[in-house]
Each structure stands twice: as C-alpha cells, then as structure tokens.
C-alpha cells in the first residue's frame, strides 16, 4: 500500500492514516492488520498495532495496547479529551476498555459486522446504561481500511492453499 497516494482532508483522515500505517506494521508481522492511534490536543500520544500472535496474549489488540501507552504517557487512568483512531471497529473487550478509560471520541475506519461492538453487532460505546458514552465517527478512510484487511486475508488464503 502506498501511503503517499492517500489524500487527507483534515485531522481525522491524517490520524487515521497513521493508524493505517500501524496496521501495515501488524500485517508485516503476520498479525491481523489493525492499527490504532490516540491523539490529544492535535498530537499523537500513543500508537499501536495488533500483537496477539507475537505476544501470545489474546488481549494484545491494537486498541488495548494504545490505551495502555496513552495512560502511561499521561500518567492518568482517564483519557478525557483524547480521540482514538482505529482501522477496524473495536470488539466488545476493546469497546469496554474505551468506555472505562473515558476516551472522548472514537473514529473508526472499517465496520466489523461479525464482532464490532461500537454500532455493528453491539453498541457499547453509546450504551446509555453505562457511565460514559463515546462520540463515534465511522467510515473515515473506510475503503482503504477494508481493503487492507481483505488483502491480508486474501494473501493468507493464498499461502495456505500453496502449502497444501
């Protein structure tokens, strides 16, 4: 994927492009290509990509790792005023962590109709029964994020078929 060809018209697209770059790192490490960045006051304070396979931890999702990094950098358990940019809609674990961290805003690239918990399958980010709700924007550079995932799984299937 050539990142220079992606045009960014504002901060949401600029920061999503950085999340896409993180997802590309994941793919190069044979991890499912999901990337996340957290910005506050227009500056990236954390970035991460999936490390489930390399760490052997089911919780090593890009979102969880980015939250941990942002909290450590800020020296605080709340991420009020921060925005997460993630290439794939968060699962229920990550959505719960986003609510608990009190992140203010969530920007999603691609929807996840199978496990998405921020509007697709569930909507944990906007559940009025919880003590915090997250403003959510969907579809930012969504086609690029979706294509990145499709390409990864296409290549994985091709490799699997060649090994048979």
């Amino acid at each position: 994927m050539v990142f220079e060809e992606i045009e960014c018209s504002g901060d949401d697209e600029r920061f999503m492009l950085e999340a896409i770059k993180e997802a590309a790192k994941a793919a190069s490490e044979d991890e499912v290509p999901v990337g996340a960045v957290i910005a506050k006051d227009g500056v990236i304070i954390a970035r991460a990509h999936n490390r489930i396979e390399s760490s052997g931890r089911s919780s090593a999702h890009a979102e969880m790792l980015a939250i941990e990094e942002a909290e450590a950098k800020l020296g605080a358990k709340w991420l009020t005023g921060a925005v997460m940019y993630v290439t794939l809609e968060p699962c229920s674990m990550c959505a719960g962590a986003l609510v608990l961290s009190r992140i203010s805003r969530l920007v999603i690239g691609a929807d996840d109709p199978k496990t998405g918990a921020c509007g697709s399958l569930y909507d944990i980010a906007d559940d009025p029964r919880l003590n915090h709700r997250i403003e959510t924007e969907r579809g930012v550079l969504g086609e690029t994020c979706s294509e990145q995932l499709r390409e990864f799984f296409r290549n994985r299937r091709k490799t699997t078929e060649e090994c048979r």
Side-chain angles (χ1 to χ4, degrees):
M1 179 173 291
V2 180
F3 299 114
E4 294 77 29
E5 294 176 6
I6 300 172
E7 291 190 32
C8 299
S9 61
D11 280 350
D12 282 354
E13 289 184 355
R14 183 169 58 90
F15 291 131
M16 184 60 74
L17 179 57
E18 293 302 313
I20 290 168
K21 290 176 183 178
E22 285 295 317
K25 289 179 189 176
S28 74
E29 297 168 9
D30 206 28
E31 299 273 1
V32 174
V34 177
V37 298
I38 297 177
K40 186 167 182 177
D41 301 323
V43 176
I44 293 175
I45 59 170
R47 57 177 63 233
H49 56 273
N50 274 1
R51 293 182 187 252
I52 297 161
E53 301 302 324
S54 62
S55 72
R57 293 182 5 244
S58 60
S59 63
H61 291 203
E63 301 95 321
M64 300 295 285
L65 299 172
I67 289 169
E68 290 172 9
E69 183 180 321
E71 289 173 341
K73 183 164 189 171
L74 296 177
K77 62 182 177 181
W78 308 133
L79 298 178
T80 306
V83 181
M84 175 176 279
Y85 298 84
V86 63
T87 58
L88 181 65
E89 180 181 357
C91 68
S92 56
M93 173 183 68
C94 295
L98 287 164
V99 169
L100 292 173
S101 73
R102 297 190 183 164
I103 201 140
S104 294
R105 189 164 172 259
L106 173 63
V107 180
I108 300 168
D111 289 342
D112 185 351
K114 291 182 180 178
T115 64
C118 294
S120 290
L121 188 59
Y122 303 105
D123 199 356
I124 293 170
D126 194 36
D127 190 321
R129 297 168 295 181
L130 300 176
N131 69 336
H132 178 72
R133 294 167 79 179
I134 304 168
E135 176 189 339
T136 303
E137 176 81 22
R138 311 174 74 79
V140 174
L141 297 181
E143 186 52 40
T144 302
C145 295
S146 294
E147 181 54 34
Q148 191 174 40
L149 287 156
R150 282 192 296 268
E151 182 179 334
F152 175 81
F153 287 110
R154 212 175 11 248
N155 290 340
R156 183 175 268 183
R157 281 190 300 277
K158 182 180 174 186
T159 302
T160 303
E161 290 170 5
E162 289 173 355
C163 292
R164 289 183 191 176

